[in-house]
Every structure is written in C-alpha cells, then in structure tokens.
Amino acid sequence: MLDLGFVRENIDLVKDSLNKRATEAPIDEFADIDIKRRELIQEVESLKQIRNEESSKIGLLKRDGKEEEAQKVIRKMGEVADKIKDLDEKLKEYNQRLEDIMLRIPNIPNQDVPVGKDEEDNVCVRTWGEPTEFDFEAKAHWDLGVDLDILDFERGAKVTGSRFTFLKNLGARLERALISFMLDIHTGEHGYQEIFPPFIVNSESMTGTGQLPKFEEDAFKLSGTDYYLVPTAEVPVTNMYRDEILAADDLPIYHTAYSACFRSEAGSHGRDTRGIIRQHQFNKVEMVKFVKPEDSYDELEKLVQNAETILQRLELPYRVVTLCTGDLTFSSAKTYDIEVWLPSYDTYREISSCSNFEDYQARRAGIKYRPEPNASTEYIHTLNGSGLAIGRTVAAILENYQNEDGSVTIPKALRGYMGGVEKINI
RNA sequence: GGAGAGAUACCCAAGUAGGCUGAAGGGGCGGGUUUGCUAAACCUGUAGUAGGGAAUUAUCUCUAGCGAGGGUUCGAAUCCCUCUCUCUCCGCCA
C-alpha cells in the first residue's frame, strides 16, 4: 500500500506508474472519495468534540445535584448522538471504499526499472554458463521423467487433476535433496535463519503481502473458512512480523523457508501444460529479508547473488533479467528474475524471482522499526526471492544433465544429498 | 469436543455501584544530577500510533484507540451480545 498523503499529493505520478505497469486501479474515484471522506470527518469530529465536552458537564451537574439542568443537556445531546451515529455509518462506507482503492493501487516502480510493455522488454543483466548443447536428440523432462519412472503425470491427474504430478523413486529423492541442499547453503553460508511456516494463512496475511484483494482468483481458498493455501512462503514468513515494531538492533532479519506452494493458475490455461513447469502444487525454498530502508537495494543485489549461488553450485546455465515496468508484480518496486536454461523450450525460463518491495508490504502489514531509541517508528523494507523453485530445478537438472542413453547424471554438488547416487538410470 | 481463567501502552501490571483516568504502580528505554570510571542513588521524560484541521517545517489543536466487531447510554476500559486468540484441567488424536 502506498501512503495516503503521498497518493493525494502525487496523483499524476501514481497514474503514470499505472500506465507504465500497463495496469489499472480505481484511481479516478480516489480524489472524489478522499475529499468527501475528509468533509465527513470534519463534520462528525466536531460533533464528537461537542459531545465530549457536554457529556463531562452532565457528569459535573449531576455531581452537584443539579438534576434538572443535567436533564436539559441530556435531551439536547440525544439529538447530537443520533446525528453522530448517522454520520459515522456514512464515514465507515467511505473509509472502506478508500481502503479498497488504496489496496488496489500497485507499488511505484523504482526509477531505474526499465519502462516496457511485457516480458519482451525485460533487460538482461548478465548470463552465467552457456546453453547446454547435445550431440544427440535431447528429450524434454516430461519424457525423461516418464522413461526413468520418476514422474507420473497420469496418476497425478487421476488422483487429483491436471497440473498435479507424482514424483517417484529417485525423482522424489531428488526433490527432497534439493530442498535440503538449498536450505543448508542459505543457512550455513548466507546467514539466513531457517523457518518452517504454516502452509495455510488467513486473509489478513494474504492482504499484507498483496495477494488480496486483487488476486483472489489466483489462490486456493479453503471453503467455509477465512483460510488460503499459501501461494509462496513469502506470505507466512513476511506476515510473521505483521503489526510488530522490530528492534533496530535485530535488523536486518534474514529468513529462509521451505514450503509447498499452491496456485490456481487462473488465466494460464493451455500454457506449459506438459511437464512440471507449471503445477498447482510445487515446492520452493524462499528467502525473505526485513531491512532498514537505506539498505534495501544493496540487500536486493545480495539476495539475487544468494539465489545465483544455488544455480552455480548445480552448474546450471542461467541469466539474470531486470523486469520492466509492464512485467513487474503488483507489490514490487524492482524485481530481478533468474532464468535457467531449459533445452526443451530452447530458451531461459524463470526459476527465481527476487524483489524489493520497499515499504509497500510493510505499510500493508504494519511492520515497523524504531531507528533510534525514543524516535518515532518507520516502516521497514521487505524483500524476498526464490532460492529456488524446486520443481523447475528438477526439470532443469533432468534436461541439462541428460545423457544419450536416457540416463541423467546427478550434479556433483547434490550427490551427498542423494546417498551418493551419481546417475539416474532407466 | 467439555469445564474454567484471561487479553490494558515497549514489557509486567492496577483499575466494575459507567462521568475531568487515556488510564495508578513497577520494569525497560531516553535525558539530567551526583561521580575519577563502572556500578549505584536521586531527579525527570516516555502512546506509540492512525486519521482530520490550522500553521508550516519549528509547532498547535481535535477525533479515534484498554484483543476485534456490534449494542445500551448524553457519556463505556468499566454494563450486554458475538467473535478471535492465550492459559489451566478433562476427553480425543498424528
């Protein structure tokens, strides 16, 4: 959420940001609602001031035994009370409308985010490694997985539905190995504290990080409850500190968390229907940071490097791109995507997304810190990034490490986590 | 699921015959005095916040706020209702 006063004073800048993002928000209503709301506030608050003053007079009159005079004031105040009740109800409607508008305005992109329409306009920052080349006909991971008996799409579809898959044998083991591998590096080498979060959160948490109210259709809601399956560990982990004032000495806070992630994938019917690139349920190791505002852009660079480290250890070729304004997610001020080389797609595909939300999520979620003792509180900055999406990492390993005989070599860094297995054979 | 108890500021905690209590008292934290330093003692300041208004960058003022949301009332931390969470005991259970 943006600051109310900021939006009021910079309405053109906000509109410009919406244009650059190629998105919409009910911004035209803002000025009208904002003005009417403030008029109402003035009216009702001056009445409340009168009520407060007169009511304490009634108390004094009664204490002095001047019952008749007290009754006179009480009668008069009865009308005022009715009027207040009436205005308060109206004001409540305006407040809710204004809050809804505010919650639907996306973050302002940072100045150095390239302006662009869609992913075509993202800017490549660097590449690492070379796209893998084969001197035989390479298979896609969905064929490799079935042939190796480690992925079972048909039974996934039978037991649940499309975009659900069983992992079997060394495939299941590989999934588990990657989770441990990544968590160990982030905790052991990058200074993150490990968290195992709830996989179900309430609507307040979903609002805090920006999934609600605008993207309700992307989430799985538990029927008859206020609960949602987490679309990413970002939601529970960022909301851990919702409505809290953090000690300045405790910052920065780095958390890393494994979670399953659940996404309805509304609006992406027909995309990535084969394989495990786009599933309703997938695993992810996430990194979340809570930092002082002045440090957040340095922290973003470090965050990306932390994610890159994983790919480098796995020796998977990738590139880093800066998302342009049109491709930027709702809450983010700046995002780097890391894209891994996927031979079956003959291109790079997103495997990590690292974002600086500045104070946007912190304002929504009420996460503050006190810079100096007795100073007033300020919103902290939040960041998060995948480190990495496990399913896509499995796909990348299968495809990039495949051999001519249909076997898949296990990356060296992972063998200790695979019980020494060096190769998955048919 | 059953039976109790509770939720007050950064933390602990007092406060029910509703009325100058937005809240006693501690602790912590900030400032100060004493002191060669530390420790200690004493003095003192501590709703932070959100939203209005006036002024303007120094401030002043109002409204809200005692878990959340309703209700009663001229007036609610205090009375009534609903909900959430925490704790204790019982039952059940991975």
Side-chain angles (χ1 to χ4, degrees):
Chain A
M1 190 157 56
L2 300 174
D3 178 69
L4 180 62
F6 175 86
V7 175
R8 189 178 294 148
E9 284 158 30
N10 299 278
I11 196 84
D12 290 333
L13 195 155
V14 174
K15 284 181 182 172
D16 183 51
S17 137
L18 289 171
N19 283 334
K20 284 178 179 165
R21 281 175 168 276
T23 188
E24 292 176 347
I27 192 71
D28 290 330
E29 288 174 65
F30 176 86
D32 185 47
I33 303 273
D34 181 53
I35 288 167
K36 281 189 180 145
R37 169 178 166 273
R38 280 188 288 163
E39 284 169 359
L40 263 177
I41 286 173
Q42 286 179 51
E43 197 180 347
V44 73
E45 286 192 351
S46 65
L47 285 176
K48 283 180 180 175
Q49 187 178 355
I50 290 168
R51 181 187 68 186
N52 289 346
E53 287 165 1
E54 296 299 310
S55 290
S56 61
K57 274 186 204 162
I58 291 168
L60 293 178
L61 286 171
K62 284 197 167 186
R63 174 184 295 181
D64 297 342
K66 298 174 181 169
E67 191 60 35
E68 239 171 80
E69 284 181 54
Q71 286 306 325
K72 225 154 74 183
V73 184
I74 287 173
R75 275 195 295 277
K76 206 170 68 186
M77 284 302 104
E79 294 167 28
V80 174
D82 289 344
K83 183 83 178 158
I84 288 173
K85 196 172 172 183
D86 189 45
L87 290 175
D88 263 341
E89 262 167 50
K90 273 190 198 145
L91 181 58
K92 195 173 160 187
E93 285 170 31
Y94 277 93
N95 280 335
Q96 282 170 349
R97 186 71 198 111
L98 189 69
E99 196 197 353
D100 186 66
I101 291 171
M102 291 300 290
L103 288 174
R104 287 170 189 275
I105 299 174
N107 201 355
I108 308 279
N110 182 273
Q111 284 184 344
D112 59 47
V113 169
V115 175
K117 219 169 58 224
D118 52 34
E119 67 268 15
E120 297 295 314
D121 297 321
N122 294 342
V123 175
C124 181
V125 181
R126 58 183 168 269
T127 60
W128 188 92
E130 293 293 325
T132 313
E133 288 181 12
F134 302 95
D135 48 15
F136 55 90
E137 189 156 348
K139 296 191 207 169
H141 70 271
W142 50 86
D143 289 328
L144 285 161
V146 171
D147 294 346
L148 292 168
D149 197 28
I150 59 174
L151 295 178
D152 190 336
F153 298 103
E154 288 188 12
R155 291 194 176 106
K158 174 177 71 181
V159 169
T160 307
S162 68
R163 297 199 193 282
F164 288 89
T165 304
F166 280 96
L167 288 158
K168 295 161 68 178
N169 307 316
L170 287 173
R173 178 73 185 256
L174 179 60
E175 185 92 359
R176 178 161 59 92
L178 282 166
I179 294 166
S180 294
F181 170 70
M182 293 181 194
L183 287 172
D184 283 351
I185 290 176
H186 294 318
T187 56
E189 300 178 30
H190 298 153
Y192 290 77
Q193 187 188 348
E194 185 169 347
I195 303 289
F196 201 114
F199 292 179
I200 294 175
V201 295
N202 59 31
S203 61
E204 235 178 302
S205 295
M206 291 287 276
T207 305
T209 30
Q211 283 75 20
L212 293 181
K214 200 177 172 187
F215 306 101
E216 168 121 42
E217 71 279 6
D218 292 333
F220 283 111
K221 185 172 192 184
L222 297 188
S223 134
T225 72
D226 185 43
Y227 291 162
Y228 294 81
L229 298 181
V230 295
T232 157
E234 159 195 355
V235 179
V237 176
T238 305
N239 279 282
M240 274 176 75
Y241 302 109
R242 173 149 50 80
D243 296 321
E244 291 191 27
I245 298 168
L246 304 175
D249 289 348
D250 291 342
L251 299 178
I253 295 171
Y254 293 179
H255 286 326
T256 184
Y258 156 76
S259 90
C261 303
F262 303 91
R263 298 183 183 181
S264 73
E265 295 298 341
S268 45
H269 299 297
R271 294 181 64 191
D272 308 309
T273 48
R274 303 202 71 183
I276 56 173
I277 295 301
R278 193 176 298 275
Q279 299 274 286
H280 288 308
Q281 174 190 321
F282 62 96
N283 293 308
K284 182 156 60 71
V285 168
E286 185 77 359
M287 299 172 282
V288 180
K289 290 185 173 189
F290 305 83
V291 308
K292 294 180 183 174
E294 62 268 27
D295 299 332
S296 66
Y297 278 94
D298 288 341
E299 294 284 1
L300 177 61
E301 297 301 321
K302 282 160 65 182
L303 183 68
V304 179
Q305 283 164 22
N306 294 155
E308 285 179 65
T309 295
I310 304 292
L311 286 166
Q312 290 170 11
R313 297 281 174 87
L314 294 173
E315 298 177 82
L316 289 167
Y318 68 86
R319 68 176 184 185
V320 179
V321 300
T322 305
L323 296 193
C324 71
T325 50
D327 205 23
L328 205 57
T329 51
F330 183 78
S331 301
S332 176
K334 181 175 182 177
T335 298
Y336 291 111
D337 270 8
I338 303 176
E339 300 176 334
V340 69
W341 179 257
L342 270 191
S344 64
Y345 284 77
D346 194 32
T347 187
Y348 292 97
R349 288 302 306 259
E350 176 190 342
I351 197 167
S352 170
S353 193
C354 299
S355 302
N356 183 1
F357 303 93
E358 298 185 357
D359 64 5
Y360 187 86
Q361 290 183 327
R363 187 174 288 106
R364 283 176 164 250
I367 311 173
K368 300 180 166 186
Y369 82 113
R370 203 177 296 283
E372 302 289 336
N374 278 24
S376 56
T377 55
E378 278 180 37
Y379 291 110
I380 51 114
H381 281 194
T382 59
L383 302 93
N384 67 57
S386 351
L388 310 163
I390 304 294
R392 290 188 178 183
T393 307
V394 168
I397 289 172
L398 294 181
E399 294 196 2
N400 285 286
Y401 277 86
Q402 63 180 297
N403 304 304
E404 190 164 11
D405 63 0
S407 66
V408 170
T409 304
I410 299 296
K412 289 193 189 72
L414 223 46
R415 291 177 190 169
Y417 289 91
M418 291 290 289
V421 171
E422 293 179 13
K423 215 188 244 189
I424 305 178
N425 291 301
I426 290 182

